[in-house]
Amino acid sequence: MDDDIVIVGGGQSKFGKRKGLGIRELAFEAVSDLMNDFNMGIEDIDASVIGIAGEEFSGQGAPAAVVVDEIGMVGKPTIRVESACATGSAGIKTAYGWIKAGFYDTVMVVGVEKMTSVSSARATELMARAGDVRWESPYGCSFPGYYAIMASAHMKEYGTTKEMLSSVGVKAHHYGSLNPKAHIQKEVSLEEAVNSIPIAYPLNLYDCSLISDGAAAVVLTKASLAKKYTDSPVRIKGVGSGSDTMEIAHRKSLTSLSGAKEAARRAYKMAGVTAKDIDVAEVHDCFTIAEIIATEDLGFFEPGQGGPAALDGQTYIGGKIPINVDGGLKSKGHPLGATGVSQANEIRNQLLGKSYNRQVEGAKIGLSHNVGQSGQFVNVMIYDRV
Ligand SMILES: CC(C)(COP(=O)(O)OP(=O)(O)OC[C@H]1O[C@@H](n2cnc3c(N)ncnc32)[C@H](O)[C@@H]1OP(=O)(O)O)[C@@H](O)C(=O)NCCC(=O)NCCS
């Protein structure tokens, strides 16, 4: 128990098109939210880990340094981490390792991204460079393209339909409409989602996550010190990671992410639980097909059953496994570096019973699944109350 690593505080900025705000201000907003949440000051924190996926969005080289300045952590040890869209969870894992290694007792992780300072076309190009720049992105493959390939393969292999894909987007927008920090807070019907504009066949607008600005922050410490800060620490009970080939042409399967399966296997083993024990999950729904594949890779549904389960409402609150009940990347938004930290915050709130009108009643064990690129970096974490 004393060796356990726990989260003792969390905060998040509003996600969205945050005109006039850069990475400094977004990070400050998240850290201010965190400071309101628990009984500590910035002086109690020994070190920081700053997750920022891309510096070309903000134009600032070494962008972590300006964040450290703004949040009042100058002079203390810090590092920038980057694992594409899995940057936030890579930050949490780094902090976890630092505390376990005995470097520091209490570490703050801040994930932040400012994406809307550039046009969608430019953002698409910058993100596409996280795919292989030798054989893929120069020939037109961008992220909607990668996931469109996976969606087509899933449809061919398992009979997954466009309605099944769209139902994931409908659920995301339903829960996003209940989340005041979500980028888009509006309900969408299945008909609207199925008929929304095509982006990369078979993915339409309501199959795609948002290009967002935002930040999120958490503080990790040892369980033995947690009482100083909170009566309700949330333990990180399992951490697992995996990876995959850079070129998707080299993959054995296009209907699952081998790195995600490996990450899940490791996290379940470390936590001593199985998929059946999870009460609520945050999964990386950068595209609707990604959520369907995630629910299969994590063992919530058999391969090929993720689509029918989504259409049947099994991933809503009250279904077999509530997924992304904060709106997910699709409706809450996907500011790359912030996403994994925001997922941890949502699970923490769920386990503390603080998710209000989106609460999964009695949730005791939660899971987050954060994917970088098209599966090259994956971190799965499992949480409970101590
Ligand atoms: C789908 C996508 C291309 C749309 O971008 P766009 O055409 O430039 O859209 P705009 O920013 O001009 O917004 C136009 C409208 O659509 C809405 N919109 C934009 N993206 C949306 C999305 N993904 N889902 C729902 N609505 C969206 C905007 O809110 C805006 O609505 P408004 O006119 O009522 O304000 C963009 O959202 C995208 O690329 N998403 C994927 C991001 C990605 O790949 N992330 C990495 C994952 S690994």
Side-chain angles (χ1 to χ4, degrees), residues 17 85 120 124 127 143-144 184 199 205-206 208-211 286-287 330 334:
K17 268 193 187 174
C85 307
S120 298
T124 301
M127 287 187 280
F143 274 88
I184 292 190
I199 300 293
L205 183 68
Y206 287 110
C208 300
S209 59
L210 290 149
I211 295 175
C286 51
F287 297 93
K330 171 73 208 73
H334 184 24

